Amino acid sequence: MITWMQKHKKYLIITIWISTIAFVGAGFVGWGQYNYGDKAGAVAKVGSVEITMGELQKSYSNLYAQYSQMFKGEFDEEKAKSFGLQSQALNFLTQQALVLNLAKSYSLEVSDEELLNEITSKEYFLKDGAFDKELYKDVLSKNNIKVKEFEADVKKELLIKKTLSLLPIEIKESEQKILDTAISIADKINYKVLNANQITLDTSDESLKSFWQNIQKNFMSEVSYDIKYIKHEKVSNEYDDAVLNEYYVENRPSLKDSDGKIIPFEEAKEKIKSELDAKESKKEALKKYVLYKKGEIDASELQSATVSASNNSFGIEALEVISKLTSAAPFSKPVMVGDDYYTFELLTINPAKPKSFEEAKEELLPIYLSEEKNAKLVELAKNSFATFNGKTTDFITANDSNLLTDLTKDEADEFLSLLFTSQNRRGYINLESGTVVMYNVLEQKLLNNTNTNPNNPIVRLKSAMFNEGLIKNLQNKYKTEIFIKGI
């Protein structure tokens, strides 16, 4: 699935294209040195529309949440990097900006009434079936989203939808007939499921070694780093009201509540103290960093460790910093891990090397079982599909996966999808799960079905193609400038 999604990520972006609002309650995910609230300066400009760092972070967080949902929580920063999620987030925003430029050219706007109707219809702001203003503020506050920013995002989403609604996608009668015909084809089949439980394999070292010889280059140890480091614990000072008030006066514009109102001094004290402690912590960490580079740190303060991707107590960001250190520049500037700062010194890089059979054995076994069992199942199917006798179904269509109860829902969907595109009356289908299904089409007829699915696949396909064409056209019309590197 990951391979398929990587190949088709351009089309995945198109399918989630309009949504501009991060999932409420999904939590914020960021990367690198950027902060969610950092909106200083534009990271890109499309026509007359600027894209801020805050918008880029929000777009990244939104995409991360959507991929995490698709992967049922099995999604992390490493997968995000492999999918180029940072680039996708920026591409997502530039595509939106192109449509917003088009909206400006037609003088389209979203009224306050339209905005109100949209917000008051969101189910997560309803209490006993009615919109609750206090719940609305509370939900946004808990998700660190300011009311004005949220409403601006909703307004942008509505403006994009309004613009695209001026360019409706229509289905021709001939196209609808083709779809109706496709969903009306029904087959009566005889089929038999072959799964891995039917295969017994020899798992002795001799058999495993024979398998390992052909793929041993795929089993490499991790790159690891021998390091020394110093830890700078979070500063926690006491400040009198004069110091707190001075900071308050200088930074009032940034001390706001979820409604965008400046927080009174008494309510802001704890926040100010926390910000002063963070500032002082970083200052002290930088002082020690300088002393460390000069060799003026007491040896008792130094600690040693070996870190790698699977053995890392400092977090992904710290490991990324360590991986960029060299013998010519072995010291890192202070890196924040939790509430504390760490300065790392690179001692040695331990490069990846081929694993021995014993080291690879635990990782090798499930691969061996999966591949060899599937190979034997396919071999069995090749020798049996012409003469087998299995279960016989009633007439079924490509949408009747629920009738194949000896397959999982995903397996049955995949099997029927491939069956109804196959040109062979008899054969076998090797599913992604490793299960193999032999089939024999006994009879075929045409039912009188009509597509009533509101998510008409023809509309989805034509919309995706139209959106792609629209974007290419707008890219030629509006200049895109990217001001941020490395994405």
Side-chain angles (χ1 to χ4, degrees), residues 21-277:
I21 304 169
F23 292 114
V24 173
F28 174 70
V29 179
W31 77 87
Q33 61 185 340
Y34 311 118
N35 295 313
Y36 177 73
D38 181 11
K39 298 182 178 63
V43 298
K45 186 176 181 181
V46 182
S48 62
V49 178
E50 290 189 342
I51 297 171
T52 67
M53 178 58 76
E55 289 173 321
L56 180 56
Q57 283 283 37
K58 198 186 303 180
S59 175
Y60 180 87
S61 180
N62 189 7
L63 284 174
Y64 191 101
Q66 293 183 57
Y67 275 108
S68 185
Q69 186 179 60
M70 282 190 275
F71 280 96
K72 300 178 181 179
E74 297 295 321
F75 192 73
D76 55 23
E77 289 293 342
E78 287 303 311
K79 285 193 178 72
K81 284 183 180 179
S82 72
F83 273 64
L85 214 62
Q86 296 175 11
S87 178
Q88 286 191 47
L90 183 57
N91 185 46
F92 176 81
L93 291 174
T94 57
Q95 289 185 1
Q96 287 185 333
L98 288 168
V99 180
L100 292 173
N101 275 285
L102 183 62
K104 281 187 178 184
S105 72
Y106 286 104
S107 300
L108 296 178
E109 294 182 350
V110 173
S111 68
D112 290 341
E113 183 180 0
E114 288 173 315
L115 176 63
L116 181 64
N117 289 338
E118 179 69 15
I119 290 174
T120 55
S121 67
K122 302 284 186 187
E123 62 179 29
Y124 34 78
F125 300 140
L126 303 183
K127 186 176 182 180
D128 298 326
F131 176 75
D132 188 289
K133 188 175 181 180
E134 292 306 313
L135 176 62
Y136 171 58
K137 291 180 179 179
D138 185 52
V139 170
L140 295 186
S141 177
K142 286 179 178 177
N143 285 276
N144 196 29
I145 303 172
K146 293 180 180 178
V147 171
K148 286 186 177 179
E149 289 176 4
F150 179 76
E151 292 179 355
D153 282 343
V154 176
K155 209 164 189 176
K156 182 166 70 172
E157 179 186 25
L158 289 174
L159 184 55
I160 290 172
K161 286 182 177 179
K162 180 179 283 191
T163 305
L164 294 178
S165 70
L166 298 177
L167 308 163
I169 304 297
E170 297 180 353
I171 303 176
K172 295 179 180 179
E173 184 179 350
S174 59
E175 292 172 333
Q176 184 62 52
K177 285 182 178 179
I178 291 171
L179 177 62
D180 290 344
T181 300
I183 65 172
S184 295
I185 297 173
D187 288 349
K188 177 184 283 189
I189 65 169
N190 186 265
Y191 75 101
K192 187 172 184 178
V193 176
L194 305 177
N195 59 53
N197 295 332
Q198 297 169 247
I199 303 296
T200 302
L201 291 177
D202 176 11
T203 57
S204 66
D205 282 0
E206 185 178 352
S207 296
L208 281 174
K209 280 182 180 178
S210 177
F211 179 76
W212 175 68
Q213 292 293 337
N214 297 320
I215 60 170
Q216 58 181 305
K217 63 178 182 291
N218 297 330
F219 295 88
M220 302 288 287
S221 64
E222 291 181 321
V223 177
S224 64
Y225 306 88
D226 296 331
I227 60 169
K228 284 187 179 180
Y229 64 92
I230 50 174
K231 179 181 178 181
H232 325 277
E233 293 188 354
K234 180 183 177 183
V235 171
S236 184
N237 291 334
E238 294 297 326
Y239 305 95
D240 58 32
D241 279 1
V243 173
L244 296 176
N245 189 61
E246 181 182 356
Y247 185 89
Y248 179 75
V249 171
E250 291 177 356
N251 297 275
R252 281 185 69 198
S254 66
L255 298 168
K256 295 179 180 180
D257 60 18
S258 60
D259 291 325
K261 296 179 181 178
I262 294 175
I263 304 171
F265 173 67
E266 288 300 323
E267 295 178 21
K269 278 185 176 181
E270 284 304 312
K271 182 176 176 62
I272 294 170
K273 182 181 181 302
S274 178
E275 290 184 7
L276 286 171
D277 281 345

Side-chain angles (χ1 to χ4, degrees), residues 2-20:
I2 293 177
T3 302
W4 183 91
M5 292 176 75
Q6 286 172 325
K7 287 181 180 178
H8 296 80
K9 60 189 176 186
K10 175 176 70 173
Y11 301 103
L12 285 170
I13 287 294
I14 290 172
T15 63
I16 56 176
W17 197 54
I18 294 177
S19 177
T20 65

